[in-house]
C-alpha cells in the first residue's frame, strides 16, 4: 500500500480490540435476554413436543439464513451459532417444563 492509499484515520490494534470487546458484551447481553425469553415462553407450551418442534427449528434457521445474508454473515457461522444456542436452550426449556408439572412434595410431621 502506498502512503497515499492509507485510510484517512488509521485505527490501532487496541482500538479494534476495544470494539470487539464491546460487540462481545452486546452478544452476551443479547444471549441473556434470549435465555430469559425462552424460559418465559415455556409457560405457554402445552407439551414437551412444543419445545422440540422440528418445523419451528427449521423456520428459525431459515429466518437466520435471511438475516445472515442481509448482514453479510456466512450461513455456516450463523447456523453454528444458532445450533449451539438451541442445543443448550432446548434441554433447559425441557427441564423448566418438566419442573412446572411436578407437584411440590409436602413434608410430613
Amino acid at each position: 500500500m502506498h502512503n497515499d492509499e492509507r485510510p484517512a484515520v488509521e485505527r490501532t490494534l487496541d482500538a479494534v480490540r476495544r470494539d470487539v470487546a464491546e460487540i462481545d458484551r452486546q452478544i452476551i447481553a443479547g444471549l441473556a435476554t434470549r435465555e430469559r425469553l425462552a424460559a418465559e415462553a415455556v409457560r405457554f407450551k402445552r407439551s414437551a413436543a412444543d419445545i422440540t418442534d422440528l418445523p419451528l427449528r427449521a423456520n428459525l434457521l431459515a429466518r437466520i439464513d435471511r438475516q445472515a445474508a442481509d448482514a453479510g454473515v456466512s450461513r455456516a457461522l450463523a447456523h453454528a451459532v444458532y445450533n449451539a444456542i438451541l442445543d443448550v436452550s432446548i434441554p433447559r426449556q425441557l427441564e423448566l417444563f418438566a419442573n412446572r408439572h411436578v407437584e411440590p412434595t409436602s413434608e410430613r410431621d
Side-chain angles (χ1 to χ4, degrees):
M1 177 183 265
H2 294 50
N3 285 342
D4 58 311
E5 294 177 358
R6 288 186 183 172
V9 177
E10 287 193 27
R11 292 170 38 92
T12 65
L13 179 56
D14 286 341
V16 172
R17 286 178 174 160
R18 280 191 301 275
D19 289 349
V20 168
E22 174 58 20
I23 296 299
D24 290 343
R25 186 198 64 72
Q26 292 173 18
I27 290 169
I28 294 300
L31 287 172
T33 300
R34 191 184 197 291
E35 191 170 60
R36 281 191 300 274
L37 291 170
E40 182 180 345
V42 170
R43 294 181 316 142
F44 302 98
K45 307 291 174 124
R46 294 183 310 266
S47 71
D50 289 342
I51 296 168
T52 59
D53 184 358
L54 292 177
L56 183 63
R57 185 178 186 135
N59 288 338
L60 168 68
L61 291 175
R63 179 173 47 88
I64 294 306
D65 280 350
R66 290 188 301 276
Q67 291 174 350
D70 291 346
V73 174
S74 79
R75 180 179 186 272
L77 175 60
H79 275 238
V81 168
Y82 275 86
N83 279 313
I85 290 169
L86 294 172
D87 289 348
V88 172
S89 180
I90 290 171
R92 176 66 180 138
Q93 289 179 56
L94 289 170
E95 177 185 343
L96 292 170
F97 184 83
N99 289 339
R100 185 180 86 181
H101 291 88
V102 172
E103 294 293 323
T105 58
S106 60
E107 294 184 25
R108 295 182 182 198
D109 296 328

